[in-house]
């Protein structure tokens, strides 16, 4: 089980990303628009830099929905390999059988 503080920090980042997504997209569009003046583009980049760092989507990290584990994460199932094996062993995932030989 991951530390509660790390799970909460990730949730906070998710909220910030959702809150600032539209504003970030708008500023990025202005900053990358070649038809705008250089001053206007530079001002957009400065405004973008003043936004909270954690509002950037690249700072998000995928975590297991059950345990909060950040590594060995299956995107399709949103769980880690350990949680997946546990669910499979308990028979909670249809069609999944634990391998043994």
């Amino acid at each position: 089980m991951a530390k509660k503080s790390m799970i909460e920090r990730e949730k906070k980042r998710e909220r910030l990303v959702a809150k600032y997504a539209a504003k970030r997209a708008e500023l990025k569009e202005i900053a990358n628009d070649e038809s705008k003046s250089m001053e206007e583009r530079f001002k957009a980049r400065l405004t973008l830099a003043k936004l909270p760092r954690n509002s950037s989507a690249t700072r998000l990290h995928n975590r297991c929905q059950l345990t909060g584990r950040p590594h060995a994460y299956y995107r399709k199932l949103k769980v880690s390999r350990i949680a997946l094996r546990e669910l499979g062993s308990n028979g909670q995932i249809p069609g999944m059988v634990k391998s043994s030989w």
Side-chain angles (χ1 to χ4, degrees), residues 68-79:
R69 189 175 202 275
H71 299 290
Y73 174 84
Y74 288 93
R75 288 182 183 184
K76 196 170 189 178
L77 303 170
K78 296 188 178 180
V79 293

Side-chain angles (χ1 to χ4, degrees), residues 8-98:
E8 291 304 315
R9 188 180 301 169
E10 197 64 34
K11 287 179 185 175
K12 182 181 176 183
R13 283 187 186 132
E14 287 172 7
R15 287 193 303 269
L16 276 172
V17 167
K19 181 179 177 183
Y20 287 99
K23 189 168 189 169
R24 286 181 89 71
E26 181 185 319
L27 287 169
K28 280 184 181 183
E29 191 176 312
I30 293 169
N32 294 330
D33 190 2
E34 299 276 332
S35 64
K36 304 272 186 195
S37 68
M38 191 65 107
E39 291 82 22
E40 196 174 353
R41 292 171 61 198
F42 187 69
K43 187 178 176 187
R45 287 186 195 267
L46 286 177
T47 310
L48 193 62
K50 286 181 183 176
L51 293 178
R53 273 194 180 172
N54 284 333
S55 68
S56 174
T58 58
R59 291 181 66 101
L60 289 177
H61 200 283
N62 291 328
R63 284 187 175 269
C64 175
Q65 294 282 318
L66 302 176
T67 61
R69 189 175 202 275
H71 299 290
Y73 174 84
Y74 288 93
R75 288 182 183 184
K76 196 170 189 178
L77 303 170
K78 296 188 178 180
V79 293
S80 67
R81 65 178 174 83
I82 298 167
L84 179 68
R85 186 169 194 263
E86 198 64 36
L87 290 171
S89 295
N90 293 338
Q92 294 179 331
I93 300 177
M96 186 171 183
V97 181
K98 182 179 170 244

